[in-house]
Amino acid sequence: MSENQAKVIAYIEENQAKLIAGLAEAVEIPSVSGDASFRAEVYKMGAWLKNRLSELGCEVSSHDLGMQELDGQEVQLPPVIVGSIGKDTSKKTVLVYGHYDVQPALKSDGWKTEPFELVHDKESDRLYGRGSTDDKGPILGWLNVLEAHQALGLELPVNLRFCLEGMEESGSVGLEDFVVQNKDKLFHDVDAVCISDNYWLGTNKPCVTHGLRGIAYFKLLISGPAHDLHSGVFGGVVHEPMTDLVRIMSSLVSPQGKILVPGIEEQVAPLSDDELKVYDAMEFSISDIDNSTGSKSTISDKKSDVLMARMRNPSLSLHGIEGAFGEPGSKTVIPHKVTGKFSIRLVPNMEPSKVVEAVQKHVESEFSKLNSKNTMKLIPDHPGKPWCTDPKHWNYEAAFAATEKIYGVRPDLTREGGSIPITLTFADALQKNVLLLPMGRSDDGAHSTNEKLDLSNYIKGTQLLGTYLYEVAAVSE
């Protein structure tokens, strides 16, 4: 380890209170992108990042992505914040991507703390708060690395570029076009891309990720009467939209997780014996899933089956029903219009267009069987292709070496079950290697109540990001 690497690691270790305070400032901004009433807070978070990057020596610009329709109104999309530090042509240039928007959160959802207040639980040494692990903690990790170099008077070992968006939790609207349009302008000198927006496979061993599932999201609208009806007067008299919707939704996936839509699982590449050995060798136990979910509800008790279900197989999940009565108490209403929401996670070999076509055909077939006088409409939303890359690249070599230096163990090489569609855009548009280098653990609860980031992951994860930059500088192409 070089002298400068050691200094940066020591600085991060010695300034933990300052690093926590910085994350607390970011978490306190409720930058929820999916709710128009919070859009001003998303702008505020973007401005906070722009100011902070400038303070840390970056050239920073804010880029308008236009308007969108949200909650029945036209609102401005959050800006893309682009930062740049270093122009030394003898150094490699790394592009860092992150997102500053978060999922909605209310204390009444079941949080034990205020979701938009970072709480350090000293007993467990965990940092609770919405965005702590997804994705404000990792973004702050990069800022902490810049701060360490600035405070120590050290030059960065590489040139850095930042691309930070405020719409990842809502489909990254506008970002793909932005990256493509600026590939020869803002990102022309990039040698590799690093994204820290995923998690360890379990809770003990770090990993490096070279694949993501894609996603196809659907809204299934069933409408009938012109307005809600009293079930005592109209029950059994009219075709009820909710009944139709529930019947169709139940035809999509079995309780064992098998996708029932013809033409979906047929697209998946067959499993080879060599690939199966990779899953058998990974350090993982069913208890890691049980601890994350707070239950013993895995569909299989076999490790390899669970890992493949998460990484290499498609899945179909039912997310909710809009328009139905969902408040406490009893209400005997027949909703006149309901919308079911579901998504399919896609894996390599699956084409979003073919998936949408298969779902459309299945839903139309199932609806026709009902002989209902209601109307049905399927609305696909924000499809994203899966991504997988060859990890035999100097970018991954640097990540492996950095992880071993910080954690003392070679990381598992994994594919991730979640989706970050912009990953594929970076790979295709820039024609550069993309790496996923996670900070958090599998039980962090991103998108859920009581989202957290272990303090050790925040500190060591920041050290990992800094060490990765030094390893990138040292590794040969």
Side-chain angles (χ1 to χ4, degrees):
M1 182 179 293
S2 71
E3 182 180 351
N4 285 356
Q5 273 182 285
K7 286 181 179 179
V8 170
I9 289 172
Y11 178 91
I12 293 166
E13 186 70 33
E14 294 163 4
N15 287 272
Q16 294 188 30
K18 190 174 184 180
L19 272 57
I20 294 171
L23 181 56
E25 283 188 40
V27 168
E28 286 172 7
I29 302 173
S31 49
V32 178
S33 60
D35 186 333
S37 65
F38 283 88
R39 186 49 57 91
E41 298 294 339
V42 188
Y43 303 150
K44 182 179 179 181
M45 187 67 221
W48 186 92
L49 281 172
K50 184 179 179 182
N51 180 65
R52 191 74 187 103
L53 284 167
S54 181
E55 291 175 344
L56 294 169
C58 294
E59 295 179 9
V60 193
S61 54
S62 180
H63 299 266
D64 179 14
L65 294 180
M67 306 292 289
Q68 73 165 150
E69 184 176 334
L70 181 63
D71 298 338
Q73 56 185 298
E74 285 285 316
V75 294
Q76 183 77 38
L77 285 164
V80 176
I81 308 301
V82 176
S84 174
I85 184 168
K87 297 180 180 179
D88 189 339
T89 57
S90 68
K91 296 179 179 178
K92 294 187 182 75
T93 299
V94 174
L95 171 63
V96 170
Y97 163 85
H99 67 90
Y100 58 87
D101 64 320
V102 298
Q103 287 282 330
L106 295 170
K107 180 76 179 295
S108 59
D109 292 337
W111 283 74
K112 61 184 181 183
T113 61
E114 290 295 335
F116 293 105
E117 176 185 341
L118 190 73
V119 175
H120 182 190
D121 182 347
K122 299 293 180 63
E123 185 175 337
S124 64
D125 229 10
R126 291 175 168 177
L127 305 171
Y128 287 94
R130 174 61 88 220
S132 56
T133 192
D134 184 21
D135 185 39
K136 292 181 178 180
I139 288 179
L140 266 291
W142 290 111
L143 300 188
N144 296 337
V145 170
L146 291 182
E147 180 180 313
H149 283 81
Q150 185 183 73
L152 295 167
L154 301 176
E155 275 191 22
L156 288 167
V158 301
N159 306 312
L160 276 180
R161 306 290 178 260
F162 291 89
C163 180
L164 308 176
E165 69 155 323
M167 281 293 291
E168 194 274 344
E169 300 292 7
S170 300
S172 293
V173 180
L175 184 63
E176 180 175 359
D177 289 343
F178 175 80
V179 172
V180 172
Q181 291 165 8
N182 288 280
K183 64 185 178 67
D184 298 321
K185 301 172 186 176
L186 298 172
F187 310 122
H188 67 94
D189 56 352
V190 169
D191 295 305
V193 182
C194 184
I195 297 173
S196 185
D197 186 22
N198 64 311
Y199 316 94
W200 291 0
L201 181 59
T203 58
N204 298 314
K205 188 178 181 182
C207 67
V208 172
T209 302
H210 71 114
L212 292 164
R213 294 194 292 188
I215 187 170
Y217 194 94
F218 300 90
K219 296 178 181 178
L220 178 59
L221 173 65
I222 308 287
S223 57
H227 50 78
D228 290 355
L229 302 175
H230 190 302
S231 66
V233 178
F234 294 100
V237 176
V238 300
H239 289 281
E240 299 187 14
M242 179 76 89
T243 304
D244 293 354
L245 179 65
V246 171
R247 180 64 66 90
I248 295 174
M249 295 276 275
S250 68
S251 76
L252 298 171
V253 62
S254 77
Q256 287 71 41
K258 178 176 175 58
I259 298 176
L260 303 177
V261 180
I264 298 296
E265 293 193 339
E266 289 84 347
Q267 298 182 40
V268 181
L271 176 68
S272 68
D273 291 338
D274 288 341
E275 184 184 359
L276 181 58
K277 292 175 183 176
V278 172
Y279 298 110
D280 287 333
M282 287 183 182
E283 185 172 316
F284 174 83
S285 68
I286 301 297
S287 64
D288 289 325
I289 295 290
D290 294 341
N291 292 335
S292 297
T293 63
S295 66
K296 294 183 181 296
S297 54
T298 54
I299 287 173
S300 173
D301 293 326
K302 189 176 179 181
K303 183 179 82 168
S304 59
D305 287 347
V306 172
L307 288 174
M308 287 190 289
R310 172 171 169 169
M311 295 183 191
R312 69 99 56 200
N313 296 334
S315 63
L316 193 155
S317 299
L318 308 179
H319 301 302
I321 298 177
E322 184 179 313
F325 176 64
E327 302 300 320
S330 302
K331 185 178 180 181
T332 57
V333 66
I334 298 173
H336 74 287
K337 180 175 68 175
V338 287
T339 301
K341 303 176 182 181
F342 64 96
S343 70
I344 300 177
R345 297 288 174 166
L346 314 181
V347 296
N349 291 16
M350 298 179 72
E351 282 291 334
S353 60
K354 291 183 179 179
V355 170
V356 171
E357 182 181 344
V359 172
Q360 183 78 50
K361 183 178 180 180
H362 174 77
V363 167
E364 289 176 352
S365 173
E366 292 299 310
F367 184 69
S368 69
K369 296 175 184 177
L370 304 180
N371 295 316
S372 173
K373 293 181 180 178
N374 292 322
T375 60
M376 181 275 293
K377 184 178 181 181
L378 182 70
I379 307 170
D381 187 24
H382 301 307
K385 292 182 178 181
W387 162 79
C388 195
T389 192
D390 184 355
K392 296 175 183 177
H393 186 277
W394 58 260
N395 197 22
Y396 280 80
E397 289 180 26
F400 293 144
T403 304
E404 288 191 70
K405 286 186 176 179
I406 296 302
Y407 287 99
V409 63
R410 186 170 179 82
D412 279 331
L413 181 63
T414 67
R415 284 159 55 179
E416 183 57 75
S419 305
I420 311 174
I422 198 61
T423 306
L424 186 64
T425 302
F426 282 130
D428 288 349
L430 305 185
Q431 290 295 296
K432 301 297 180 183
N433 183 268
V434 182
L435 162 77
L436 267 67
L437 188 59
M439 174 179 281
R441 304 183 185 188
S442 65
D443 64 350
D444 281 352
H447 294 204
S448 187
T449 54
N450 302 313
E451 178 182 346
K452 60 85 177 172
L453 177 65
D454 287 71
L455 179 59
S456 61
N457 283 69
Y458 183 41
I459 300 305
K460 284 186 175 294
T462 295
Q463 293 171 331
L464 173 62
L465 298 180
T467 302
Y468 157 75
L469 297 182
Y470 280 91
E471 295 303 320
V472 165
V475 71
S476 58
E477 296 187 22

